[in-house]
């Protein structure tokens, strides 16, 4: 009997028409099951969000087209739907978009984990570093990494940041065409150039020098740096995956051409990271104590990672070290590049404020061409202008969390466990109920007396609460130094024909780049 059953099975297995029918039937059952699950999820989401009205969206594509207007739509919708409203990304994923400090306080003062859905795409790139980790792992890593951002560690970075900024000025001078040297005379032209690419290379160069004591030639290589290209590719593909419903499925994305490009770019990124770590381990193989390293040279972020020990004298695993290096390499250069690019663009658009900043900077530098640690606190007006630029163009335009318990906001509306909450930093910073004339550039908003009158959650370019950006002082220092050295050398001029079409990626970007014109402050320099 067993033999007969086996023969029947083999015969049926080899009967290909029947086999095709069976496979088709199984596939149909799986598709119907998955579709029912997704429709049930959609129905549950509508029920969870019933306390919050919002703008109508397309049943399939949700609320956005990537045309450079979506962030301004959030601001406009915010006027119609105070505090919060639902936003759909495709037919099955919905976030409660919050855009008011009183709502933001509720979510950012908690230690809720970063959103599993939104951040799992990033995690597949940078690993479970500080940006995406949660629970005890996040607490442990945050505690171990905090010494890496002490002012004693940050202080020596000022000269390195200045050196990187000066290299950027040299490359801008050569490429922009604004100054052409002919023997001893200079000829001025009136051509704009794309700024973001230069700033990205500068911030990568800076983060490698400061955090990893790794000297690269990424600025002088031109636009050929493979790591920068990989980061751009990964950022765009993660954003694409987030917004395209079929790509939410791991298998579909893996088999797609975009999935192939993603894996290729991720491979380039990881090789770069592993090479940085390998070289440092090789250099430290005979060292056993951080203090002995500090006697020989200034400590950096990677030293602290490699020597970090918790109360049980347990250090970070090789995987944890790679994840934190990838996280800091991405966050430490891409977010700062976005912030600095829009700062320079903003100052080009407001020459009267640019002039006041330049006068302050020239007085502080007093003939020097390099910034020093003590100078950072001596440029208050420039600092206020930088903050106003970060208000109008926050480097990270939004953040998301997935709540692990029911959440009640100050007005009594609630969300059940498991809902996605998106914090629109761009929306908060341009909320007319919080900021008077929010679209007007006014650095005096950041005078101490004006700051004290606002909610501390009205201005959150580096997030807030326990999960705020651990590297915010590093980023602010770099933006101050680069802005000061650029303004000392050049007058920045807006190109009205090439206004940026801003879009939310992992960081704030422009569809058409960020273009400005420059003119030397001193033509003989």
């Amino acid at each position: 009997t067993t033999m007969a059953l086996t023969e029947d099975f083999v015969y049926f297995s080899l009967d290909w028409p029947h086999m095709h029918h069976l496979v088709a039937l199984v596939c149909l059952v799986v598709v119907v099951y998955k579709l029912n699950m997704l429709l049930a999820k959609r129905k549950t989401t509508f029920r969870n969000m019933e306390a919050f009205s919002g703008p109508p969206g397309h049943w399939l594509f949700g609320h956005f087209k990537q045309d450079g207007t979506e962030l301004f739509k959030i601001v406009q919708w915010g006027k119609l739907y105070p505090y919060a409203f639902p936003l759909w990304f495709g037919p099955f994923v919905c976030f409660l978009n919050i855009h008011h400090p009183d709502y933001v306080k509720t979510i950012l003062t908690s230690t809720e984990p970063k959103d599993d859905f939104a951040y799992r795409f990033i995690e597949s790139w940078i690993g479970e570093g500080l940006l995406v980790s949660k629970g005890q792992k996040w607490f442990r890593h945050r505690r171990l990494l905090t010494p890496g951002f002490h002012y004693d560690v940050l202080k020596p970075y000022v000269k390195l940041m200045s050196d990187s900024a000066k290299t950027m000025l040299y490359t801008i001078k050569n490429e922009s065409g604004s100054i052409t040297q002919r023997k001893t005379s200079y000829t001025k032209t009136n051509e704009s150039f794309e700024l973001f690419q230069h700033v990205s290379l500068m911030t990568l160069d800076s983060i490698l020098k400061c955090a990893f004591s790794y000297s690269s030639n990424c600025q002088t290589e031109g636009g050929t740096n493979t790591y920068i290209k990989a980061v751009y590719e990964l950022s765009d593909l993660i954003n694409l995956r987030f917004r395209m419903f079929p790509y939410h499925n791991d298998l579909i994305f893996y088999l797609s051409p975009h999935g192939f490009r993603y894996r290729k770019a991720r491979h380039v990124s990881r090789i770069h990271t592993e090479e940085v770590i390998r070289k440092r381990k090789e250099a430290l193989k005979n060292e056993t104590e951080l203090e002995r390293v500090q006697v020989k040279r200034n400590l950096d972020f990677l030293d602290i990672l490699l020597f970090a020990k918790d109360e049980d004298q347990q250090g970070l695993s090789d995987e944890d070290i790679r994840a934190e290096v990838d996280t800091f390499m991405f966050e430490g250069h891409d977010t700062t590049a976005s912030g600095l690019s829009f700062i320079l663009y903003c100052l080009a658009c407001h020459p009267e404020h640019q002039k006041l900043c330049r006068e302050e900077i020239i007085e502080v530098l007093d003939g020097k061409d390099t910034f020093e640690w003590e100078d950072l606190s001596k440029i208050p007006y420039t600092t206020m202008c930088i903050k106003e630029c970060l208000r109008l163009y926050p480097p990270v335009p939004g953040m998301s969390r997935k709540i692990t318990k029911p959440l009640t906001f100050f007005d009594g509306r609630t969300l059940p466990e498991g809902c996605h909450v998106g914090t629109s930093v761009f929306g908060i910073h341009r909320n007319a109920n919080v900021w008077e004339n929010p679209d007007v550039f006014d650095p005096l908003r950041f005078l101490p007396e004006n700051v004290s009158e606002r909610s501390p959650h009205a201005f959150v370019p580096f997030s807030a609460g326990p999960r705020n950006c651990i590297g915010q002082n590093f980023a602010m220092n770099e933006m101050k130094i680069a802005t000061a050295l650029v303004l000392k050398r050049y007058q920045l001029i807006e190109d009205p024909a090439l206004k940026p079409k801003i879009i939310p990626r992992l960081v704030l970007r422009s569809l058409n780049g960020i273009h400005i014109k420059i003119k030397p402050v001193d033509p003989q320099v």
Side-chain angles (χ1 to χ4, degrees), residues 457-473:
H457 295 91
F459 179 65
V460 286
F462 300 105
S463 189
R467 291 195 72 124
N468 67 347
C469 175
I470 194 172
Q472 59 184 288
N473 289 330

Side-chain angles (χ1 to χ4, degrees), residues 145-166 202-203 205-214 280 290 294 297-305 328 332 370-374 376 470-482 485:
L145 268 57
T146 296
F149 299 93
H150 190 274
Y151 77 90
D152 283 338
V153 177
L154 297 179
K155 193 172 180 179
Y157 294 167
V158 173
K159 182 182 183 306
L160 299 174
M161 291 172 176
S162 292
D163 291 343
S164 293
K166 285 189 283 186
M202 187 277 289
T203 56
D205 186 34
S206 183
I207 197 72
L208 287 170
K209 286 177 182 173
C210 295
F212 309 110
S213 300
Y214 186 94
R280 177 57 56 83
L290 199 60
Q294 194 168 10
R297 58 172 172 80
N298 294 317
L299 294 180
D300 62 22
F301 178 70
L302 188 52
D303 290 323
I304 289 164
L305 270 181
F328 198 60
T370 299
F371 235 65
E372 296 176 2
W373 176 262
E374 293 74 19
L376 292 170
I470 194 172
Q472 59 184 288
N473 289 330
F474 178 97
M476 277 299 293
N477 290 348
E478 184 169 15
M479 289 187 286
K480 286 182 185 181
I481 291 164
L485 294 181

